[in-house]
Structure formats: C-alpha cells, structure tokens
Amino acid sequence: MMTSFFDQFMSPTYLGVPLMALAFILPWLLFPSPAPRWLNNRLLTLQSWFINRFTSQLLAPMNMGGHKWALILTSLMIFLITLNMLGLLPYTFTPTTQLSLNMGLAVPLWLATVLIGLRNQPTAALGHLLPEGTPGPLIPVLIIIETISLFIRPLALGVRLTANLTAGHLLMQLIATAAFVLLPLMPTVAGLTAIVLFLLTILEVAVAMIQAYVFVLLMSLYLQENV
C-alpha cells in the first residue's frame, strides 16, 4: 500500500525513455503569445498585468544591477507556478516533487548570486561571514557557522519546495483513498471526507502558487545581498 502512494513521484517513462523533458516543455506551450494587434484579449491583458505587478514588487528593493535578473526571475516564477498547478490535475506528474530538479534550479542561481557578490563587492560579500562587533575568541566559530549557513541556502530552497509539494500530494491521495474505501461502508463519513478533500485541494492550489513565489522571493533576497 505504501509503495503505491509513492509511485506518483516516480519519473514517468515510455518504452524506457524518460518523459521529464516533455514535462518541462509542455507548460511553455500553454502560455498565450502576443498577437500583432493593438488591443489584446482578456487573457493576455491579465497575464501582462500579473507579470508587471510581480516584477515591480520583486525588484523594488534592488538597485539597477539587480534589475538585470528580471527576466530570469519572472520566467522562473511563471514556470514553477505552471508546473505546480499542472501537477494537481489527475493522472499527471509533478516535476517539482523531485529534489534533483529543485536542486538543479536552486544551486546554479544561488552560485551565480554568490559569484556576482564576490566579483562586484568582495569585501562586503566576505563581510557577511563575520558580524560586526564579534568578540575575538568567537571569530573562527562564527566564520564556520556562517559559511555552513551560506552553503545550506540552496539545499533549503530545494528541500522546502520538494517537501511542501510532496506532503500535499500524499495527503490528498490518503484522503481520497479513505473516501473511496468508506463510500460503500459509511456514506455519510465518506461525504464528509470528500468535503475535506475538496478544501484540501483548494489549499494545495494556494500552496502551489505560494511555494513558487517563496522560491523566487528568497532567490531575489540572496541576489539583493550581493548586488
């Protein structure tokens, strides 16, 4: 029974060929492309409004050097939201439940922010490893602790996204299985369980959007420290 619950997180294959690349390409095909007209339709207008609002809010506390990341961060945000939302559909696969994928997104972006800080302002970047006013005997210990916390950042990004989505999917499958089993035995309890499942699905929609936003927001905070 427990093995079947975790089967939904296995990477799909067809005739031995992994379909992970297809799961990456499909979301980009769903986005509406601008038309050569002066007035866009409602969907394009809503998409443009959302992108503009998100970009302005994300880049407001940064200086002009951080604005170069607007395209990367906005594209990553839309990509993660689309993957998370498509994963809530029945008989679909959620790539963001794979820790390897999330680490593959977190580590290069985090490393790029660190290298930018070391190139542009090496003194300030290294100064984050040692708080001001630290007593002399505690300097080696604090440098080690701050260095470890620095390298834990991409791991925390990947694990946070993976754990939240995996826990939500498992809980939804457990409650759905309970409602299916209880339906012929106790229809009233099964109905209440179905209501709980509906409310949990709404919560998971919010979690799918919030976790994508948190991932990009923390990446922007790391960038803000180094530009």
Side-chain angles (χ1 to χ4, degrees), residues 99-115:
L99 182 60
S100 57
L101 168 65
N102 297 331
M103 293 299 296
L105 293 174
V107 172
L109 293 175
W110 164 83
L111 185 60
T113 61
V114 173
L115 294 179

Side-chain angles (χ1 to χ4, degrees), residues 5 13 22 64 70 87 119 139 175 190 195 213:
F5 285 155
T13 58
L22 181 61
M64 293 303 297
R119 187 191 66 177
I139 289 178
I175 296 179
I195 294 175
Y213 176 73

Side-chain angles (χ1 to χ4, degrees), residues 14 22 25 37 49-51 69 88 103 113 117 166 178 204 206:
Y14 181 73
L22 181 61
I25 298 174
R37 294 179 296 181
W49 175 85
F50 170 76
I51 292 176
W69 287 60
L88 295 175
M103 293 299 296
T113 61
T166 302
E204 283 303 309

